[in-house]
Amino acid sequence: MRELYIGQKASIRKTITEADVVLFGCVTGDMNPLHTDDITARDSRFGKRIAHGMLAAGLISAVLGMQLPGPGTIYLKQTLTFRRPIFINDTVTTTVEVKELRSDKPIATLGTTITNQDGEVVLEGESLVMLT
């Protein structure tokens, strides 16, 4: 098991593409027109198509499973607050930070934040994970 400490962080950066949105919709079956239809999205409050919120949440899973804590991490709980939409071609940075480590069990609480290319928080929450 990797040694963790309070305040430790890891991040990934990704540009959300048309292909990401289409593939996520196909895999999940979520073909909501706000994600898939230019005309519907243009007439919405967002003015253009937005990425699925859960696609963004999946980026948190990528950091947890691949970087911090890393391979073998088991999700126990995740809270999500969606602050702003993510648009196709936005570049987002997903950051995970160790907030708490339990002394009695291999469990960690991690802060999770996604910001866009303008530094605006688009998603924030907290993960509870089991360390293996």
Side-chain angles (χ1 to χ4, degrees):
M1 176 169 51
R2 180 178 173 178
E3 196 64 35
L4 299 179
Y5 58 88
I6 304 298
Q8 186 175 6
K9 292 182 182 182
S11 298
I12 60 169
R13 178 192 271 170
K14 176 168 179 42
T15 298
I16 303 300
T17 66
E18 166 86 14
D20 295 328
V21 173
V22 170
L23 289 170
F24 189 86
C26 289
V27 167
T28 63
D30 181 355
M31 301 303 284
N32 182 329
L34 286 175
H35 309 304
T36 60
D37 182 70
D38 286 326
I39 294 169
T40 299
R42 182 191 66 215
D43 294 338
S44 75
R45 66 183 304 196
F46 304 111
K48 57 185 173 178
R49 289 170 50 205
I50 59 173
H52 302 76
M54 295 310 289
L55 180 131
L59 298 175
I60 297 168
S61 182
V63 177
L64 295 176
M66 301 307 297
Q67 291 187 24
L68 183 69
T73 299
I74 305 294
Y75 245 128
L76 299 175
K77 182 179 177 181
Q78 176 73 54
T79 62
L80 300 168
T81 301
F82 300 94
R83 300 283 182 203
R84 296 178 169 278
I86 297 173
F87 299 103
I88 294 170
N89 297 320
D90 277 0
T91 298
V92 295
T93 301
T94 303
T95 303
V96 169
E97 180 178 1
V98 178
K99 296 290 188 182
E100 182 181 334
L101 297 166
R102 290 206 22 197
S103 59
D104 62 329
K105 293 182 180 183
I107 293 177
T109 301
L110 305 135
T112 54
T113 306
I114 302 178
T115 56
N116 65 17
Q117 64 278 352
D118 299 320
E120 300 167 321
V121 174
V122 296
L123 186 155
E124 60 188 347
E126 193 172 85
S127 296
L128 185 68
V129 298
M130 182 182 297
L131 311 169
T132 59

